[in-house]
Amino acid sequence: MPQMDPKGEPEETTIGGEDGGGGATILALTICSAAIGGTFQYGYNISIINAPTSYIQTFINDTYTERWGSGLESSQLTLMWTIIVSAFSLGGLLGALLAGPLSVRFGRKDSLLLNNGFLFAGAVLVLTSRVAKSFEMVIFARFLVGINSGVSMNVQPMYFGESAPKHLRGAVAFSSAVFTAFGIFLGQVVGLTEVLGAQHLWPYLLASNALPGLIQLLTLPWFPESPRYLLIDRGDKDACVKALGRLRGGVAPISEVEEMLEEQEQQRTAALNSGSSANKTPWTLFKDAGLRSQLRTVMAASSAMMLCGNDSIYFYAYYIFLAAGIPPRKIQYITIGTGASEFTASILSNLLIERVGRRYLLIGGYGLMSFWSVVFTVALNLQSRGVAGMAYLSMACVFAYILSFGLGPAGVSGILPAEIFDQSARPAAYMVAGSCMWVSLFLVGMLFPFIVKGLGDFCFLPFFAVCVASAVFLGLTLPETKGKTRAEITADFDEGTESGKSIQTWEWMNP
């Protein structure tokens, strides 16, 4: 148990060993094990669906013809494909709503383990769909995979944020974005014709996501649960100290334990005063005036991450590369560069986040994206008028836009709920943030073809508006959270809220 020295200074409690590099190793292995079956799956499953598009559409048409004697029209086939793509987003929305209750009921680690059930069920459906001659099984499989991604995108950053020491909290939580980008990149590689991208292999390509899930099932049980969850939610101080000791190399710092105990006591007091449960729901978050500023910031950041059009630019990249004169058969290799760009940027941002801070990475990322969207629009217009070299400028803009996204918004958005909400509000905050993210992804996926058709070369101007608005709003509302306790972060938000009220009062009294 934690002890105090004669001078009143905290000593560190040794649990099963001495302090050393063991804690860093355990923490790193925990991150890899959780992420390979977590946010990695989100990036991987977004990526692998692109390569077999035409093959799956052929399967749908052939199945329909065998059932009804005639094939689907082009518009009907496009609609069926849109349903398959949208099923992933709808599943993600349901997963985001399930993530909060799961993480409270079973814990962060066990929720990630149980989440693999959706993945394995989806893999079985995909592998048997061709034998069963049922494209509906593919739709349901993508829905289940979406649930898996929705749960992992919320629970994993929560798990990381609660397990990391304060000085590494941002870098550890940002690793979720690194694994998402790695999933996108690896999915593009696996989708190559020479790997699993051939026509007869598309069911195995879509079911290949079961392998990372299996790796997680075999490895994650060996690593500790979130210490904060064990102490604050379960009230098990001994288990918390033991888990914290493993994550810190055998030493459970008394300062961390005392901070958790203080937060636990605050939650108990708040629950007694309000007469409600300690764990908040999304509805109670919206009703809590003291948390509205934090909630608005998280909702804006989560929505902007999808509304900024980064996923759409992956889709548009094919046509840009084609216009640049790259042979269609070679485009799949060039497209891998887009995934590699985001992966590289996420690693760089992971190294910078504890130096630069969250706020500047977010604002800078959206600022750069705003700039590149303008350059991109100009290049597309000049390209359509036959100006030489504009196709290559468009290509450069694709990579620059993705790099800018990976530098900040891709990772910082996901760690904000873990940093600015306490233990009782965090699961509900992730439910709200995840819902905003998946609804935005669904809307962009559904509307982007119509935006391209209606605006043509100006199709990225709506994304420019989103990026500018996001940079301005987050610059005004988000305080820096680097190296701060949750009490300090809450005080910063409260100070910002009071400043805003003072300005409004002054303006009202002095029209």
Side-chain angles (χ1 to χ4, degrees):
M1 297 296 292
Q3 302 292 330
M4 301 293 289
D5 70 11
K7 296 180 181 179
E9 296 296 328
E11 293 180 347
E12 298 198 336
T13 303
T14 301
I15 305 292
E18 296 184 358
D19 192 15
T25 302
I26 292 294
L27 183 60
L29 291 175
T30 301
I31 290 168
C32 292
S33 178
I36 197 67
T39 53
F40 171 89
Q41 292 284 14
Y42 169 72
Y44 189 77
N45 285 295
I46 276 184
S47 183
I48 60 173
I49 196 64
N50 294 322
T53 298
S54 60
Y55 306 145
I56 297 176
Q57 289 179 345
T58 300
F59 168 67
I60 293 172
N61 199 42
D62 291 347
T63 303
Y64 192 89
T65 301
E66 188 172 340
R67 286 184 191 175
W68 308 107
S70 61
L72 292 167
E73 295 180 3
S74 177
S75 59
Q76 294 173 320
L77 191 59
T78 301
L79 176 61
M80 292 303 302
W81 178 248
T82 303
I83 292 173
I84 289 177
V85 173
S86 301
F88 180 76
S89 299
L90 294 175
L93 175 59
L94 178 58
L97 296 175
L98 289 174
L102 281 175
S103 65
V104 172
R105 174 68 178 84
F106 298 103
R108 292 19 170 178
K109 184 179 78 171
D110 288 346
S111 294
L112 290 172
L113 291 171
L114 292 170
N115 191 35
N116 287 293
F118 298 112
L119 198 70
F120 295 142
V124 171
L125 287 173
V126 167
L127 289 173
T128 55
S129 62
R130 198 158 50 181
V131 176
K133 298 180 180 179
S134 171
F135 58 81
E136 294 87 352
M137 293 171 70
V138 179
I139 296 173
F140 191 52
R142 290 296 293 177
F143 179 75
L144 291 175
V145 169
I147 295 177
N148 173 272
S149 296
V151 171
S152 63
M153 288 288 283
N154 282 7
V155 176
Q156 183 186 304
M158 203 186 312
Y159 182 33
F160 287 178
E162 293 173 1
S163 300
K166 184 171 64 175
H167 68 284
L168 292 177
R169 192 175 60 208
V172 169
F174 202 100
S175 61
S176 296
V178 174
F179 276 89
T180 299
F182 180 50
I184 292 173
F185 172 69
L186 190 60
Q188 291 172 335
V189 173
V190 174
L192 291 174
T193 306
E194 295 83 355
V195 188
L196 291 178
Q199 183 168 4
H200 64 288
L201 294 176
W202 68 262
Y204 301 99
L205 174 61
L206 295 188
S208 62
N209 53 24
L211 182 58
L214 180 61
I215 294 173
Q216 184 183 77
L217 276 181
L218 295 175
T219 58
L220 190 57
W222 298 97
F223 299 109
E225 174 61 273
S226 157
R228 284 184 173 273
Y229 171 78
L230 291 171
L231 178 61
I232 299 176
D233 288 319
R234 287 190 179 175
D236 192 339
K237 186 176 180 179
D238 292 337
C240 166
V241 172
K242 184 177 179 180
L244 193 61
R246 289 191 64 196
L247 291 167
R248 302 295 183 268
V251 175
I254 191 173
S255 58
E256 287 194 58
V257 177
E258 288 181 338
E259 182 189 342
M260 294 182 210
L261 288 170
E262 183 180 349
E263 186 175 340
Q264 182 188 43
E265 185 59 32
Q266 289 174 349
Q267 289 189 22
R268 285 178 179 173
T269 303
L272 288 173
N273 292 337
S274 63
S276 61
S277 171
N279 288 305
K280 297 182 182 296
T281 65
W283 178 243
T284 57
L285 280 187
F286 283 106
K287 291 196 301 181
D288 191 336
L291 294 176
R292 284 175 188 163
S293 179
Q294 290 95 312
L295 195 60
R296 280 196 301 267
T297 301
V298 165
M299 289 175 67
S302 300
S303 300
M305 186 170 67
M306 293 303 170
L307 294 176
C308 70
N310 185 72
D311 289 332
S312 300
I313 209 168
Y314 278 108
F315 167 79
Y316 206 62
Y318 176 87
Y319 301 99
I320 296 170
F321 298 151
L322 190 65
I326 297 173
R329 287 183 295 179
K330 300 292 184 181
I331 289 179
Q332 62 175 332
Y333 304 104
I334 304 298
T335 303
I336 291 176
T338 59
S341 295
E342 186 168 340
F343 183 42
T344 303
S346 64
I347 293 175
L348 177 61
S349 187
N350 188 261
L351 299 174
L352 292 175
I353 189 168
E354 294 299 346
R355 293 176 178 270
V356 178
R358 288 70 156 149
R359 186 171 180 269
Y360 289 115
L361 284 178
L362 262 182
I363 298 171
Y366 281 121
L368 286 172
M369 291 167 72
S370 303
F371 171 76
W372 289 116
S373 61
V374 171
V375 177
F376 191 29
T377 300
V378 173
L380 288 175
N381 276 270
L382 294 178
Q383 182 179 330
S384 64
R385 297 178 185 179
V387 178
M390 287 300 103
Y392 296 100
L393 179 58
S394 298
M395 286 177 59
C397 288
V398 168
F399 289 103
Y401 197 88
I402 292 171
L403 280 167
S404 302
F405 178 77
L407 278 174
V412 178
S413 304
I415 71 175
L416 288 181
E419 293 206 324
I420 66 179
F421 288 95
D422 64 19
Q423 192 79 8
S424 65
R426 195 173 299 123
Y430 267 108
M431 290 172 66
V432 174
S435 299
C436 291
M437 187 192 81
W438 287 101
V439 168
S440 300
L441 178 63
F442 176 78
L443 290 175
V444 170
M446 293 293 291
L447 295 177
F448 185 69
F450 299 100
I451 292 174
V452 172
K453 185 177 180 180
L455 296 180
D457 294 337
F458 296 93
C459 62
F460 266 81
L461 288 183
F463 301 133
F464 164 76
V466 169
C467 291
V468 171
S470 301
V472 172
F473 180 81
L474 294 172
L476 294 174
T477 62
L478 179 65
E480 182 53 63
T481 61
K482 180 183 69 172
K484 295 181 180 179
T485 64
R486 285 166 185 84
E488 292 170 336
I489 294 169
T490 300
D492 287 342
F493 270 103
D494 292 341
E495 182 180 344
T497 302
E498 290 302 319
S499 297
K501 289 180 180 179
S502 299
I503 292 173
Q504 291 176 0
T505 303
W506 186 87
E507 290 177 344
W508 179 76
M509 296 178 64
N510 299 273

